Amino acid sequence: MFAAIFGSVEQGIIYAIMALGVYLTFRVLDFPDLTVDGSFVTGAGTAAMMIVLGYHPVIATIVAIIAGFIAGCITGLLHTKGKINPLLSGILMMIALYSINLRIMGFTVENSVGRPNIPLLNSESLFTQFNNWWGSLGIDDAINNFLSGMGVQSLPQTWGTIVVVLIIVILIKLIFDRFLKTEVGLAIRATGDNKKMIRSFSANTDNLVIVGLGISNALVAFSGALIAQYSKFADIGMGIGMIVIGLASVIIGEAIFGTKSIVRTTLAVIAGAIIYRIILAMALRIDLLDTGDMKLITALIVIIALVLPNYFDKRREKSRKAKRRAERVASATIVTEQEGKNLA
């Protein structure tokens, strides 16, 4: 049980980067961007391809981020300059990226038009390099011995992975929060709220949408690159339903932790991604379910996350109305009694 939850937390932290990208488009820009399903694989495929060809994992990851940024910018261009519906522009880019991703992964094989997957079992990654250094510190043995003494079983082989992904996500969150408070970030937020208003201040909303979509898909591609290195493979189908996972993380986080400020909201999105992976792992431990039911479980989690907040809001509203009604009745009763005493 502990190992399953621990692995879910590790994956949840990595997927949180993707969830932040989805939050930027769906909540900040109010743009239903379906490019995510394709740009996630673009990041994974680009990083895996470059690692197999002998490039350093850091360089491979940076190139993957750039590739995701370009994909997002193209979606923005289709919408702003091509005047294509935002939903349709995302779908078109997602479809185009399927073939592009096959081509990218095909670079690892001579005279190959495309390749559906790339194994990384014997390749160096960000995680293997960090874990090699982390293992030399002896911290893993100290933590595992302590937990074993407390009766915890199925301990992870290394704690280095969760440490490095935590550092990455914290840095991204801090940069993301800072960016949304800059002049450009505020303009992007205003564009999502009211385009006409921000245009009245001579802001170029088309450029802001393009930049916002580029940053969003850069984050998604970054998450894909890390997942490929974490899972030791990249596959053409690993991005299917990624937009739903991102939305589930955003919705769960907002429902539990609220959205009073940007700092709190981004923290809620990260926590939502972790909670989502834990819920998924616990659901898969039920005997009636297996890995083939992951998409069904995801859909049910999203439905519950959407329905429950509305249900609780209605209950709170009814409670407030009942309280106000009781106060009015009590006030009217006091007034009537006072008038009766005056007449007496």
Side-chain angles (χ1 to χ4, degrees):
M1 178 67 75
F2 180 82
I5 294 176
F6 185 84
S8 299
V9 172
E10 284 182 339
Q11 293 181 46
I13 295 171
I14 300 174
Y15 280 111
I17 302 172
M18 179 269 298
L20 286 173
V22 173
Y23 166 76
L24 180 59
T25 51
F26 274 81
R27 286 287 192 260
V28 178
L29 272 176
D30 194 24
F31 191 104
D33 183 25
L34 297 185
T35 312
V36 171
D37 283 16
S39 59
F40 186 86
V41 183
T42 301
T46 301
M49 177 268 294
M50 294 192 68
I51 289 173
V52 169
L53 293 179
Y55 290 91
H56 194 278
V58 173
I59 296 174
T61 304
I62 292 172
V63 174
I65 294 171
I66 295 171
F69 181 82
I70 293 171
C73 288
I74 294 174
T75 301
L77 287 169
L78 290 175
H79 170 60
T80 58
K81 307 304 180 184
K83 305 303 178 184
I84 300 175
N85 177 277
L87 188 63
L88 183 57
S89 61
I91 293 173
L92 289 172
M93 193 60 204
M94 177 184 66
I95 294 171
L97 282 175
Y98 185 88
S99 297
I100 294 171
N101 293 333
L102 285 173
R103 291 273 186 174
I104 290 172
M105 291 192 283
F107 288 141
T108 57
V109 181
E110 291 185 10
N111 302 321
S112 176
V113 176
R115 185 179 182 181
N117 52 66
I118 300 176
L120 296 173
L121 293 174
N122 299 319
S123 302
E124 286 287 320
S125 68
L126 286 174
F127 299 112
T128 55
Q129 292 185 348
F130 183 85
N131 288 337
N132 289 336
W133 171 79
W134 177 265
S136 64
L137 301 177
I139 298 176
D140 288 333
D141 293 335
I143 296 174
N144 287 340
N145 289 335
F146 174 75
L147 292 176
S148 297
M150 296 180 65
V152 180
Q153 298 178 348
S154 302
L155 295 171
Q157 293 182 348
T158 179
W159 293 77
T161 301
I162 197 169
V163 171
V164 69
V165 294
L166 268 175
I167 293 171
I168 292 171
V169 169
I170 290 171
L171 287 175
I172 289 176
K173 173 183 162 40
L174 294 175
I175 294 170
F176 191 76
D177 293 343
R178 180 63 180 170
F179 170 74
L180 290 179
K181 293 178 181 178
T182 62
E183 185 176 345
V184 176
L186 290 171
I188 289 175
R189 291 163 63 184
T191 299
D193 288 335
N194 193 326
K195 280 188 178 182
K196 290 183 179 179
M197 182 272 291
I198 195 65
R199 282 197 194 106
S200 67
F201 292 100
S202 301
N204 191 323
T205 55
D206 287 353
N207 289 344
L208 291 171
V209 170
I210 293 170
V211 170
L213 288 171
I215 294 172
S216 169
N217 284 279
L219 290 171
V220 173
F222 187 19
S223 178
L226 292 179
I227 285 293
Q229 295 175 70
Y230 176 85
S231 304
K232 292 290 186 179
F233 75 94
D235 187 83
I236 193 66
M238 66 193 304
I240 296 174
M242 203 54 58
I243 186 63
V244 180
I245 295 173
L247 282 174
S249 303
V250 173
I251 293 167
I252 291 171
E254 290 181 344
I256 296 175
F257 300 100
T259 58
K260 289 185 178 180
S261 65
I262 287 295
V263 174
R264 182 170 178 174
T265 303
T266 53
L267 182 62
V269 171
I270 294 170
I274 297 171
I275 293 170
Y276 166 78
R277 298 305 303 187
I278 293 174
I279 294 172
L280 193 63
M282 298 301 291
L284 290 175
R285 294 182 68 86
I286 300 174
D287 293 336
L288 295 176
L289 301 173
D290 57 30
T291 54
D293 298 317
M294 284 184 64
K295 302 304 179 185
L296 174 61
I297 298 169
T298 298
L300 291 175
I301 292 172
V302 174
I303 291 170
I304 293 170
L306 287 170
V307 172
L308 282 183
N310 293 330
Y311 171 75
F312 288 124
D313 286 342
K314 288 180 179 179
R315 288 198 61 178
R316 282 194 291 266
E317 184 62 27
K318 286 182 179 179
S319 178
R320 284 194 293 267
K321 287 181 178 179
K323 186 177 180 180
R324 287 196 295 267
R325 192 181 302 113
E327 289 174 352
R328 286 197 297 268
V329 171
S331 179
T333 303
I334 293 172
V335 170
T336 302
E337 291 177 352
Q338 188 65 38
E339 289 177 350
K341 290 181 180 178
N342 292 338
L343 290 173

